[in-house]
Amino acid sequence: MSAEILLNSDVARIEYLPQDSFLKLTLIGNLDKEDYQSTWNFLLDCITEKQPKKILVDQRPMTKASIESRAWLLVKWLPKFKSKVTHPTKVAVLFSKSLAVKIGGEFLVNAASKEVETAQLQVFQDENEAIHWLQE
């Protein structure tokens, strides 16, 4: 399975597997507000262009993102996602081992689940389980 690399930076990697209509975002290290926002905005552009049915968000390599960044994701980014992604989409999230990142991630997933009717969100600890669920 060959992946098309859409973004490869110090703080994020976005891969697309066209044969599976699968997009994977990996967040890496300590993301400042600018990196966090530009990564998520780039992801939204990729989602709009590729129209994937499955998205995997891997936060395991991420060590930190500010509360302000997460608030921005909820208040500014999520409504854009909701308006642009009208087809059913499964989103699997792998949480960082960092407790602060995990708590923030759980809050975002819960809020997004209520906000975006077309997205089916699920949280996983294991990447194989996440991929299996996405492919069901």
Side-chain angles (χ1 to χ4, degrees):
M1 212 183 311
S2 64
E4 182 184 340
I5 308 301
L6 305 176
L7 175 71
N8 195 7
S9 73
D10 291 343
V11 295
R13 181 177 173 92
I14 299 176
E15 302 166 74
Y16 179 63
L17 290 91
Q19 65 273 30
D20 290 330
S21 185
F22 180 91
L23 199 59
K24 179 180 181 185
L25 165 65
T26 305
L27 297 167
I28 304 161
N30 184 358
L31 280 83
D32 65 25
K33 182 180 162 192
E34 191 175 295
D35 286 335
Y36 190 85
Q37 290 181 1
S38 64
T39 298
W40 282 98
N41 283 330
F42 188 84
L43 177 70
L44 188 57
D45 291 343
C46 295
I47 293 168
T48 303
E49 179 190 333
K50 305 290 187 186
Q51 297 285 308
K53 306 258 186 300
K54 302 165 226 162
I55 301 170
L56 177 63
V57 178
D58 187 356
Q59 295 186 349
R60 293 173 301 172
M62 185 169 90
T63 53
K64 189 177 176 199
S66 71
I67 291 171
E68 183 184 6
S69 294
R70 290 194 205 116
W72 168 86
L73 189 73
L74 224 51
V75 175
K76 300 284 188 189
W77 189 87
L78 207 56
K80 288 182 196 170
F81 176 87
K82 184 179 179 178
S83 71
K84 291 183 178 191
V85 182
T86 54
H87 64 279
T89 307
K90 287 176 107 174
V91 182
V93 181
L94 293 164
F95 282 146
S96 166
K97 295 204 185 325
S98 158
L99 188 60
V101 173
K102 189 175 179 182
I103 290 168
E106 286 171 352
F107 176 77
L108 288 175
V109 167
N110 289 337
S113 295
K114 292 179 185 107
E115 185 67 30
V116 184
E117 298 84 19
T118 56
Q120 187 181 356
L121 281 90
Q122 188 97 11
V123 175
F124 296 90
Q125 298 299 319
D126 179 76
E127 185 170 2
N128 290 331
E129 286 176 27
I131 291 170
H132 178 76
W133 176 78
L134 286 168
Q135 293 176 332
E136 286 177 347

